[in-house]
């Protein structure tokens, strides 16, 4: 590439983007607001490093979703960046490291990666083996504790066992230990293990840490605000030899605290790296000024953040439209009609998305869109891989690369039915335990298991022989092997015999074959192990198809990283958004995260943003009166309140109620002592005068601080 071409490649960058792109040596923190072109900055930075003479082989870019990594790779190709930089997700990088240094990590390199359903089976078995009551020790809660409290914080089994000092923690320590033993027996790692074992490897093997740090001399980490403690430690270790770490992210978009993300990692970056250069990307190339102003008003109320202002580059557009519906059914029907009106005027369904706080909200929306014949897609992609026919076929493939995977093996040994019953399986399992061998090795020795009848031994021999024959082809392309397994295992015949239900399942399997063929075509050296790894690390966001010709329905969490011309956000009610769990949030962290979640949703919209709430919503089978979300009023004064034509409530009564509370506004000033019927006595810490929508922040004597809408708070002056 000529010098002139290199210069023109960067000419469209803004001054702040150029500062980030051309920073070569030393730590760099890029605070990148939504729509600020951060993916472009990271890609251009890779190009700039190579143009400055750095080896492509020494560059490592890490992001959080396969979709984001793929986009980054495609942009790198478009920029003419030569092959060599490692671009992947955190989990993919860890898999690569663990397979390469398996001996140092005390694992086998052909390990399986267990998904949620696999983990659920293992934890249930662990609780059972520990002879504990599942009522007092629910497996799902135990798994969550092991994941969020222990593995994400790099607390291993021995450390936690030494810390346990009461009946519950000692019991949890036993469950944790047994759960890990089961994973080891199956030669499997769960998602948290991928991170934790890599962090321990880098901590405990200085030579490996040094080798990897010198291999990746320039570390670029996207979405740094979403890193958990283990990822933070991995990043610090990989940059330990050179300090060439570039962290890109936005504290205002940290929305994964519930799964271990720690916003302190990005807030404390300058403390970790005192000589860091900080660049703020504040220009927004996505949304109209009207949308950005509301987003800024909202997020400015958070305290855990880095100060920045979203600077629009687009001309003004329509303001946010807020619609109040009677209930969730009317809300869904109203949205369907709005969507039809938009499409009648030429808007593509690909340009429209609907966001909600919890998955349960999608049901009435789906019914309304189905009724109105509006094509839609639910962006919850992992569900495809949870379908029975897909899991059955994948279980066969997993066994071919990891025969120790007992969960996969037990799934397929009699699927389709081949006369291998529970009694036979239990006798094989007993033999395996007695001889300290794996379940598959016991199957291979079935002729030596005296407790088995000759007929059972013969059936097991046929099954083992089939698997061994399949294993001969694991080194080649994935799609032909998957098709062969599907036919010769009997799965295809069983689905043909299942009637209409089987036909649908066959369509799903054919979709899997298509995906495998695409993998074979796009991968230089396809392998079954690598393909299964990609599937295991598949996320909801990866499932979104931007060209499907269908409106997208998804949670606000799944919307991260996406953008649409028109966005609808539904259910803006207290207890839903913000979620009810923030009601007991004493340190405001939960509430601030809920506010960030709404901020993320708002800033996905390019041109049109529609927000709705319902007066009544059915929760747990009961239709309950709702309270509008405080976030509506935090958007700032004067936004449009568009009530639908079919509303059945008394507007005069509404106005009277608002007016009566407006009269009280002047009574509540900073330092004012007040009383709340639930929270008791408190002192006003802050008052945001927005007329009828005023907000008051009160620090109660209990130690809690609450942000309340004045017209709904029912505060009394003391």
């Amino acid at each position: 590439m000529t010098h002139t071409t290199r210069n023109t490649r960067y000419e469209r960058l803004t001054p702040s983007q150029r500062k980030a792109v051309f920073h070569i040596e030393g730590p760099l923190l890029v605070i990148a607001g939504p729509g600020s072109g951060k993916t472009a900055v990271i890609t251009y930075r890779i190009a700039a490093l190579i143009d400055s003479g750095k080896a492509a082989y020494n560059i490592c870019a890490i992001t959080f979703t396969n979709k984001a990594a793929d986009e980054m790779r495609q942009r790198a190709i478009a920029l003419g960046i030569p092959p060599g930089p490692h671009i992947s997700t955190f989990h993919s990088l860890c898999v690569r490291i663990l397979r390469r240094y398996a001996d140092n990590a005390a694992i086998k390199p052909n390990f399986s990666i267990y998904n949620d359903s696999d983990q659920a089976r293992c934890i249930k078995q662990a609780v059972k083996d520990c002879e504990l009551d599942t009522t007092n020790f629910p497996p799902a809660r135990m798994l969550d504790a092991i994941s969020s409290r222990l593995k994400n914080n790099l607390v291993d089994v021995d450390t936690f066992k030494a810390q346990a000092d009461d009946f519950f923690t000692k019991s949890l320590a036993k469950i944790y230990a047994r759960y890990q033993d089961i994973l080891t027996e199956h030669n499997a790692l769960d998602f948290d293990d991928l991170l934790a074992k890599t962090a321990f490897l880098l901590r405990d093997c200085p030579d490996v840490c040094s080798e990897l740090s010198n291999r990746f001399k320039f570390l670029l980490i996207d979405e740094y605000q979403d890193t958990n403690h283990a990822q933070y430690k991995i990043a610090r270790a990989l940059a330990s030899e050179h300090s060439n770490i570039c962290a890109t992210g936005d504290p205002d978009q940290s929305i994964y605290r519930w799964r271990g993300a720690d916003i302190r990692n990005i807030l404390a970056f300058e403390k970790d790296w005192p000589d860091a250069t900080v660049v703020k990307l504040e220009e927004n190339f996505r949304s109209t000024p009207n949308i950005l102003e509301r987003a800024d008003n909202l997020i400015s109320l958070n305290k855990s953040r880095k100060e920045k202002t979203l600077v629009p580059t687009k001309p003004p557009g329509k303001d946010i439209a807020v619609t109040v519906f009677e209930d969730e059914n009317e809300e869904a029907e109203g949205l369907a009609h709005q969507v039809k009106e938009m499409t009648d005027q030429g808007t593509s369904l690909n340009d429209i998305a609907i966001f909600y706080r919890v998955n349960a909200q999608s049901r009435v929306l789906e019914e309304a869109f189905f009724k109105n014949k509006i094509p839609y897609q639910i962006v919850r992609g992992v569900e495809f891989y949870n379908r029975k026919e897909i899991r059955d076929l994948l279980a066969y493939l997993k066994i071919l690369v990891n025969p120790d995977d007992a969960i996969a093996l037990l799934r397929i040994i009699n699927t389709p039915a081949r006369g291998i019953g529970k009694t036979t399986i239990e006798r094989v399992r007993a033999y395996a335990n007695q001889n300290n061998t794996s379940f598959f090795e016991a199957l291979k020795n079935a002729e030596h298991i005296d407790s088995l009848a000759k007929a059972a031994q013969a059936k097991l021999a046929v099954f083992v022989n089939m698997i061994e024959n399949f294993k001969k082809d694991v080194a080649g392309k994935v799609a032909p092997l998957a098709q062969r397994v599907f036919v010769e295992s009997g799965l295809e015949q069983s689905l043909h015999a299942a009637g209409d239900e089987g036909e649908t399942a066959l369509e799903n399997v054919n979709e899997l074959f298509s995906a495998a063929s695409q993998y074979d075509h796009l991968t230089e050296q396809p392998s079954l192990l690598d393909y299964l790894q990609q599937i295991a690390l598949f996320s909801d966001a990866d499932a979104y198809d931007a060209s499907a010709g269908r409106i997208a329905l998804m949670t606000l969490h799944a919307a991260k990283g996406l953008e649409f011309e028109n966005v609808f956000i539904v259910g803006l009610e207290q207890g839903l958004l913000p979620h009810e769990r923030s009601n007991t949030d004493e340190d405001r962290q939960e509430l601030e995260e809920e506010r960030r979640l709404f901020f993320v949703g708002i800033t996905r919209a390019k041109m049109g943003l529609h927000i709705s709430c319902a007066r009544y919503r059915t929760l747990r089978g009961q239709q309950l009166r709702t309270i509008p979300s405080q976030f509506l009023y935090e958007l700032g004064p004067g936004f449009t309140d568009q009530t639908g034509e079919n509303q059945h409530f008394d507007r005069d009564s509404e106005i009277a109620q608002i007016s009566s509370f407006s009269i009280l506004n002047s009574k509540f000033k900073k330092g004012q002592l007040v009383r709340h019927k639930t929270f008791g006595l408190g002192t006003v810490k802050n008052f945001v005068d927005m007329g009828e929508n005023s907000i008051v922040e009160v620090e109660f004597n209990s130690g809690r601080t609450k942000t309340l809408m004045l017209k709904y708070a029912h505060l009394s002056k003391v």
Side-chain angles (χ1 to χ4, degrees), residues 506-520:
L506 282 167
E507 291 174 3
N508 292 332
V509 173
N510 285 330
E511 188 176 337
L512 183 70
F513 292 152
S514 297
S517 295
Q518 186 177 26
Y519 165 82
D520 289 336

Side-chain angles (χ1 to χ4, degrees), residues 66-290:
N66 293 317
K67 184 179 288 290
D70 287 341
E71 181 184 352
M72 204 174 289
R73 292 189 200 101
Q74 293 305 314
R75 291 196 184 197
I77 293 171
L79 279 177
I81 295 173
H86 177 87
I87 301 174
S88 77
T89 65
F90 248 114
H91 285 87
S92 293
L93 175 65
C94 290
V95 170
R96 177 173 175 171
I97 291 172
L98 291 173
R99 296 207 195 280
R100 168 69 177 80
Y101 298 98
D103 288 343
N104 301 80
I107 56 177
K108 297 177 183 178
N110 64 331
F111 58 81
S112 294
I113 302 172
Y114 272 5
N115 60 21
D116 292 344
S117 59
D118 297 329
Q119 291 175 255
R121 289 193 179 191
C122 291
I123 196 68
K124 286 178 183 177
Q125 186 63 46
V127 175
K128 180 181 177 182
D129 292 349
C130 292
E131 299 181 341
L132 292 167
D133 183 7
T134 56
T135 302
N136 296 324
F137 297 91
R141 284 186 57 195
M142 297 302 100
L143 186 60
D144 180 66
I146 290 170
S147 172
S148 59
R149 287 176 48 190
L150 303 176
K151 289 190 179 183
N152 279 346
N153 290 311
L154 300 180
V155 180
D156 61 23
V157 169
D158 292 336
T159 301
F160 185 59
K161 190 179 291 185
Q163 294 173 349
D165 58 1
D166 57 35
F167 176 71
F168 177 80
T169 54
K170 288 180 180 179
S171 299
L172 179 58
K174 291 179 183 178
I175 295 170
Y176 185 16
R178 181 57 192 140
Y179 174 71
Q180 289 303 112
D181 285 343
I182 292 172
L183 290 177
T184 301
E185 291 166 8
H186 295 178
N187 185 26
L189 303 181
D190 63 21
F191 295 122
D192 299 311
D193 284 330
L194 298 177
L195 301 175
K197 287 189 178 293
T198 302
F200 289 141
L201 170 68
L202 296 173
R203 181 195 68 184
D204 300 335
C205 300
D207 54 334
V208 173
C209 182
S210 178
E211 183 178 329
L212 286 169
S213 185
N214 284 303
R215 159 74 165 84
F216 300 126
K217 292 181 179 178
F218 295 91
L219 190 64
L220 292 74
I221 304 177
D222 191 14
E223 307 288 8
Y224 196 72
Q225 77 280 349
D226 291 332
T227 53
N228 62 22
H229 182 65
Q231 290 161 330
Y232 166 78
K233 287 293 187 181
I234 292 168
R236 291 292 304 269
L238 291 177
S240 59
E241 296 283 326
H242 47 69
S243 300
N244 294 325
I245 179 173
C246 170
T248 303
D250 180 9
D252 291 339
Q253 297 184 72
S254 179
I255 59 173
Y256 297 113
R257 182 171 177 260
W258 52 277
R259 69 183 188 196
D262 192 342
I263 194 174
R264 294 174 297 181
N265 293 345
I266 192 168
L267 294 176
F269 186 87
E270 294 152 274
K271 182 178 179 182
D272 292 336
W273 309 92
D275 57 338
T277 297
V278 180
V279 177
K280 292 182 180 180
L281 305 181
E282 296 179 303
E283 298 97 336
N284 180 286
F285 305 98
R286 177 187 298 157
S287 307
T288 62
N290 314 66

Side-chain angles (χ1 to χ4, degrees), residues 327-343:
D327 59 26
E328 72 271 18
N329 295 302
E330 189 174 279
E331 181 181 52
E333 194 67 29
L335 264 61
H337 288 158
Q338 283 182 269
V339 168
K340 290 198 79 169
E341 287 178 6
M342 293 169 67
T343 55

